[in-house]
Amino acid sequence: MTGTDSAHKHRLLVLHDYGMGGSWWWVHARSAREVLETFAWVEVVTDPEAVARFEDDELEEVDIDAPLMPPGLDSLRAERDPQRGHEGFGALAGRNVVYLRRPWDEDDEPVVYLMEIGPDGRRVRQVELAEDGTVLRSGPDDWPFNPPIVDLFDPALAGQEISQREFEDQWAGARQVGPTM
């Protein structure tokens, strides 16, 4: 580990969860928020059992002020760097719940997702609005994986926020997703 001002930094367990697995590091930083403001798509793990589980592992340790980061963490910092100066950066971070409207057109048929998002960027509930008028709802029991789906510091998300009422109205009228197996 290299860096300066280490007396005011804490050793924090940092995870980049990509669904089928994750990358882990020990990052020396002044606060958890500093980590989240510095690296896109990460979370600071505070669960005592998880921290204890990694205590003796030989995870890479880095100082948040180091000019070079290990592979993986370097690209997450590079993604975050240009976001910091934009209006809306971090506007949704630190909230217990956020509601978003996100278009998704990578499939054959465009879909809009209304999502209830927890403070870690993971979906809590979701409503799918299909172009043909189908409205489906789903929750964590319906998803095989639930990695963070949004980075709440991303300034683009501020323009996708909707009200709780809009989400709840659509949720109430939606049909439950059927079994996936």
Side-chain angles (χ1 to χ4, degrees), residues 3-64:
T4 60
D5 194 25
S6 61
H8 295 93
K9 293 180 182 170
H10 310 277
R11 183 178 186 235
L12 301 169
L13 183 59
V14 175
L15 166 64
H16 170 60
D17 181 344
Y18 46 84
M20 297 290 285
S23 298
W24 298 81
W25 303 272
W26 288 109
V27 176
H28 293 259
R30 287 166 277 281
S31 68
R33 183 159 180 113
E34 180 183 36
V35 171
L36 301 175
E37 289 176 349
T38 302
F39 304 104
W41 295 101
V42 300
E43 57 190 291
V44 176
V45 177
T46 58
D47 174 60
E49 289 182 26
V51 172
R53 189 172 60 243
F54 285 96
E55 197 65 48
D56 295 329
D57 280 8
E58 294 191 22
L59 297 179
E60 189 143 13
E61 292 205 29
V62 297
D63 187 286
I64 199 161

Side-chain angles (χ1 to χ4, degrees), residues 2 5 9 16 29 31 35 43 55 63 81 83 93 99 104 106 114-115 118 129 148 150 179 181:
T2 62
D5 194 25
K9 293 180 182 170
H16 170 60
S31 68
V35 171
E43 57 190 291
E55 197 65 48
D63 187 286
D81 284 344
Q83 293 177 341
Y99 297 92
W104 187 265
E106 292 184 20
L114 305 184
M115 297 181 288
L129 307 171
V150 297
M181 300 278 172

Side-chain angles (χ1 to χ4, degrees), residues 41-156:
W41 295 101
V42 300
E43 57 190 291
V44 176
V45 177
T46 58
D47 174 60
E49 289 182 26
V51 172
R53 189 172 60 243
F54 285 96
E55 197 65 48
D56 295 329
D57 280 8
E58 294 191 22
L59 297 179
E60 189 143 13
E61 292 205 29
V62 297
D63 187 286
I64 199 161
D65 296 323
L68 298 175
M69 290 291 137
L73 203 51
D74 59 349
S75 61
L76 299 173
R77 182 167 71 178
E79 184 176 342
R80 176 67 83 223
D81 284 344
Q83 293 177 341
R84 256 185 244 100
H86 291 274
E87 183 178 337
F89 175 71
L92 304 180
R95 296 190 197 172
N96 287 329
V97 178
V98 172
Y99 297 92
L100 299 174
R101 171 186 288 273
R102 301 202 67 200
W104 187 265
D105 59 2
E106 292 184 20
D107 296 324
D108 293 336
E109 201 174 312
V111 174
V112 172
Y113 288 102
L114 305 184
M115 297 181 288
E116 179 180 44
I117 304 291
D120 57 2
R122 287 179 173 80
R123 294 174 294 177
V124 177
R125 297 183 294 163
Q126 175 175 281
V127 177
E128 180 181 325
L129 307 171
E131 195 172 61
D132 68 2
T134 303
V135 182
L136 301 173
R137 68 182 185 190
S138 59
D141 292 341
D142 302 307
W143 310 315
F145 300 100
N146 193 18
I149 195 159
V150 297
D151 176 351
L152 292 171
F153 280 84
D154 184 345

